[in-house]
Amino acid sequence: MAEKIIRIGTRDSELALWQAQTVQKQLNDLGYKTQIVAVKSQGDLLLDKPLYELGITGIFTKTLDIAMINGQVDIAVHSMKDVPTALPIGIVQAAVLERANILDILVHKGSTDFLKTDATIATGSLRRQAQWWNKYPNHTVVDLRGNVNTRLQKLEDNTWNGAVFAAAGLERLNLKPATNEALDWMIPAPAQGAMVVVAMADDAFTLDALVQLNHIETEICTYIERQFLKTLEGGCTAPIGAIAKYNEKDDTIHFKGVLLSIDGKQKLIAEKLVDISEWKKLGFHAAQEILNNGGSKLMAEIKIQLKK
């Protein structure tokens, strides 16, 4: 085997490093030599603005893309839900790792009695905010930014009743508090719980290494979810959720996708159960169904609201 050292680019947050180290271990176990290179991202530096106001999809991936194109690193590891549906020219998806927990969870401070009354819930995600308001229209939702540790600390320091997190991130860092509730009614972000590794399209050595880490079932399900997202709006700013699940017993895929208004008052759902042979266009067809049932009008309204 050639002696090339695969340089793994990552953000320097604890979760990003955990993800990079997971890929490093898997590559090392296959006999490859690796090195982790930490790169600071604009998303981590600009903590005073909500993500969707920064006017860029993929804020966390852009810095690493540039480092890869400049030849400073060979691969980058991301939470797949943070990655834009269109990758920069010259960069390709090289592996999707087996998916972890897909659910969102509510981290709270003891009792959840507040769910029945007035409450203040924190989240930096338009998707979580809209789904929360759809279910609890009288609650207040406040913006929450920063890495996992920062957000947990902010919840501790404030009088909020709770905050919404992706279960996978907290579980990966062993940070999931005992006082949490799984939000099985909330449709996750497309590709939530999955990690993706990207590399340069012309780097055959690295691509050959990474293909061995790919989990085909997760690759197919996240492809469907991201196709749904891309067909609806091509970025990651609107309140969109999607989940595809493969059932090996009967070789089917169950898909559920949702588009909501920012205030949560409108909710458009597409749900499909198809044979595995139909997976390639499943996300597209589900998105078209929503667009034809009022989604086009709703997407136009959302874009106007986000420009304000």
Side-chain angles (χ1 to χ4, degrees):
M1 189 178 285
E3 287 300 294
K4 171 172 163 139
I5 295 172
I6 298 174
R7 295 163 301 165
I8 305 169
T10 175
R11 293 164 48 220
D12 57 3
S13 75
E14 191 181 354
L15 183 57
L17 286 166
W18 182 93
Q19 293 179 166
Q21 286 157 359
T22 299
V23 170
Q24 179 177 47
K25 182 180 185 311
Q26 291 188 22
L27 286 171
N28 291 352
D29 288 348
L30 291 168
Y32 292 95
K33 292 184 176 177
T34 58
Q35 176 192 359
I36 287 183
V37 181
V39 184
K40 202 142 186 78
S41 126
Q42 276 178 293
D44 289 328
L45 301 174
L46 298 166
L47 289 178
D48 55 336
K49 296 189 83 176
L51 278 181
Y52 50 85
E53 282 182 11
L54 295 176
I56 168 177
T57 59
I59 186 81
F60 290 127
T61 59
K62 189 180 182 192
T63 315
L64 292 173
D65 292 340
I66 293 165
M68 223 170 0
I69 290 163
N70 287 343
Q72 296 160 276
V73 298
D74 300 302
I75 68 176
V77 187
H78 302 297
S79 290
M80 200 173 185
K81 69 182 174 69
D82 296 334
V83 178
T85 48
L87 292 172
I89 292 166
I91 293 177
V92 293
Q93 177 176 307
V96 184
L97 276 58
E98 185 171 1
R99 197 172 209 165
N101 193 333
I102 58 163
L103 291 177
D104 290 300
I105 61 171
L106 175 69
V107 176
H108 53 87
K109 296 172 177 175
S111 160
T112 54
D113 289 348
F114 60 82
L115 292 175
K116 304 183 191 83
T117 57
D118 292 333
T120 301
I121 304 299
T123 173
S125 153
L126 279 181
R127 173 189 62 83
R128 290 171 180 151
Q129 169 187 290
Q131 290 190 77
W132 194 271
W133 271 335
N134 181 264
K135 191 171 173 71
Y136 302 105
N138 59 331
H139 284 187
T140 303
V141 179
V142 295
D143 188 53
L144 179 61
R145 287 285 314 284
N147 62 38
V148 174
N149 309 65
T150 307
R151 284 182 286 145
L152 283 169
Q153 190 57 50
K154 283 183 181 173
L155 173 60
E156 198 61 39
D157 295 343
N158 280 279
T159 56
W160 308 326
N161 299 96
V164 185
F165 291 83
L170 295 178
E171 287 168 3
R172 283 169 178 154
L173 299 178
N174 291 318
L175 287 175
K176 190 157 104 174
T179 50
N180 79 81
E181 186 164 305
L183 303 175
D184 51 11
W185 53 268
M186 187 176 277
I187 298 179
Q192 185 155 308
M195 283 159 48
V196 64
V197 191
V198 294
M200 297 304 291
D202 58 3
D203 185 352
F205 176 86
T206 302
L207 294 176
D208 284 346
L210 292 172
V211 76
Q212 299 169 71
L213 309 187
N214 193 58
H215 186 256
I216 188 71
E217 183 186 315
T218 304
E219 181 193 4
I220 287 173
C221 288
T222 52
Y223 176 90
I224 294 164
E225 294 157 19
R226 285 164 63 77
Q227 186 184 61
F228 173 79
L229 173 68
K230 187 176 187 176
T231 308
L232 281 182
E233 55 98 67
C236 4
T237 45
I240 292 169
I243 186 66
K245 289 179 181 173
Y246 170 65
N247 184 341
E248 59 184 46
K249 284 185 191 154
D250 57 3
D251 243 13
T252 57
I253 289 186
H254 177 248
F255 175 82
K256 194 171 186 182
V258 65
L259 168 66
L260 298 101
S261 57
I262 289 175
D263 63 12
K265 287 177 181 167
Q266 281 177 271
K267 183 179 181 181
L268 303 172
I269 293 179
E271 194 160 1
K272 296 189 174 296
L273 181 66
V274 303
D275 185 81
I276 184 72
S277 61
E278 295 178 48
W279 72 271
K280 279 207 164 159
K281 284 283 189 179
L282 176 54
F284 173 79
H285 290 315
Q288 287 297 337
E289 193 178 290
I290 281 184
L291 289 170
N292 295 336
N293 290 339
S296 293
K297 183 169 175 282
L298 183 52
M299 279 306 312
E301 288 166 9
I302 289 167
K303 282 174 181 163
I304 290 165
Q305 281 176 279
L306 290 177
K307 277 181 185 158
K308 285 178 184 172

